[in-house]
């Protein structure tokens, strides 16, 4: 039921491990990593070890490996005193995962994770960090994939993301803290309850859930072309400004 509520309300991505989860997990070890900043190679090794442990604990999921490999790649590049590039890190993560198991390329978790991350990387600067804008772009970029697998279009996705996504960092952080200090559960419970109530309410609004046919290859190609043209227009507009 929980998975269905998240899917129907358009926020199933909050249940998948992402770069946000990895970043918050790394923050728990900030006291260990901070003294090592003067030693880039050692700092990178410790960061990589922490991320690797996180990946082992969570399991071999495409979204986990994508976020973990991107974090390690960014740490390695930073250690070499070079600027980290999100496109390159994403490409490295995709290549590494497919080299380990080529069948991940047809895994829905792999496709959703990489498509969502790519859309954020492409449009976040153009939209100047607007939560509503980024939520809308991610929804549009994932539309061919979600309609192909679920045959459902949720009209309330942007609104639900605006209500729920700001609560995710607190929920993740308090979740990690609760593992160490069970007493923190009293702070975690209200946040989780608010997310569950919100998603459950919108999931029951059947009028907002449109049944659509599966997206075929030609339709997906046209949709991707529209997204590319939109990106180019936004890029041209930002240059003109």
């Amino acid at each position: 039921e929980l998975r269905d509520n998240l899917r129907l309300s358009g926020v199933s991505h909050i249940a998948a491990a992402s770069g946000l989860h990895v970043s918050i997990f790394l923050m728990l070890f900030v006291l260990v990593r901070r003294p090592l900043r003067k030693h880039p190679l050692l700092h990178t090794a410790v960061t990589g070890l922490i991320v690797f442990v996180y990946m082992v604990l969570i399991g071999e999921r495409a979204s986990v490996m994508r976020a973990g490999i991107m974090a390690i790649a960014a740490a390695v590049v930073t250690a070499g005193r070079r600027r980290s590039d999100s496109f390159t890190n994403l490409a490295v993560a995709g290549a590494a995962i497919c080299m380990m198991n080529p069948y991940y390329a047809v895994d829905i978790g792999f496709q959703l994770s990489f498509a969502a991350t790519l859309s954020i990387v492409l449009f976040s600067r153009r939209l100047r960090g607007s939560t509503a804008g980024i939520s809308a772009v991610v929804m549009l970029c994932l539309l061919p994939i979600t309609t192909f697998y679920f045959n459902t279009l949720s009209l309330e996705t942007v609104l639900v993301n605006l209500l729920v996504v700001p609560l995710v960092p607190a929920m993740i952080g308090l979740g990690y803290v609760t593992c160490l200090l069970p007493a923190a559960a009293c702070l975690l419970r209200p946040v989780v309850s608010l997310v569950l109530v919100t998603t459950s309410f919108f999931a029951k609004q059947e009028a907002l859930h449109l049944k659509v046919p599966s997206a075929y290859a030609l339709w997906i190609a046209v949709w991707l072309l529209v997204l590319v043209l939109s990106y180019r227009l936004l890029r041209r507009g930002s240059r003109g400004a």
Side-chain angles (χ1 to χ4, degrees), residues 69 89-101 110 114:
I69 294 173
N89 295 342
L90 185 62
V92 169
I97 292 173
C98 288
M99 286 177 65
M100 289 186 286
N101 186 351
F110 177 94
F114 276 82

Side-chain angles (χ1 to χ4, degrees), residues 36-47 75-76 78-81:
L36 302 177
R37 289 188 179 277
K38 297 181 180 179
H39 308 281
L41 293 179
L42 185 57
H43 180 269
T44 299
V46 171
T47 300
V76 170
T78 303
R81 301 188 184 282

Side-chain angles (χ1 to χ4, degrees), residues 130-185:
S130 168
T131 303
I134 293 174
S135 296
V137 165
V138 171
M139 181 191 72
L140 291 174
C141 288
L142 296 183
L143 191 59
I145 301 175
T146 54
T147 53
F148 180 82
Y149 286 104
F150 306 122
N151 303 110
T152 303
L153 174 61
S154 300
L155 300 179
E156 78 277 21
T157 296
V158 175
L159 175 60
V160 179
N161 272 271
L162 288 174
L163 296 174
V164 171
V165 170
L167 300 174
V168 174
M171 187 168 61
I172 298 171
L174 289 172
Y176 289 143
V177 173
T178 301
C179 293
L180 302 175
L181 300 172

Side-chain angles (χ1 to χ4, degrees), residues 54-131:
Y54 177 84
M55 293 167 64
V56 171
L57 291 175
I58 299 300
E60 294 185 0
R61 299 178 184 176
S63 58
V64 176
M65 291 191 289
R66 192 271 309 158
I69 294 173
M70 287 187 69
I72 294 174
V76 170
V77 172
T78 303
R81 301 188 184 282
R82 294 179 179 273
R83 185 177 180 180
S84 179
D85 178 68
S86 299
F87 287 105
T88 303
N89 295 342
L90 185 62
V92 169
I97 292 173
C98 288
M99 286 177 65
M100 289 186 286
N101 186 351
Y103 288 103
Y104 268 119
V106 294
D107 177 74
I108 182 174
F110 177 94
Q111 295 171 8
L112 289 173
S113 178
F114 276 82
T117 305
L118 180 60
S119 64
I120 293 172
V121 172
L122 282 173
F123 291 97
S124 59
R125 288 186 180 180
R126 315 301 170 191
L127 298 173
R128 300 178 181 179
S130 168
T131 303

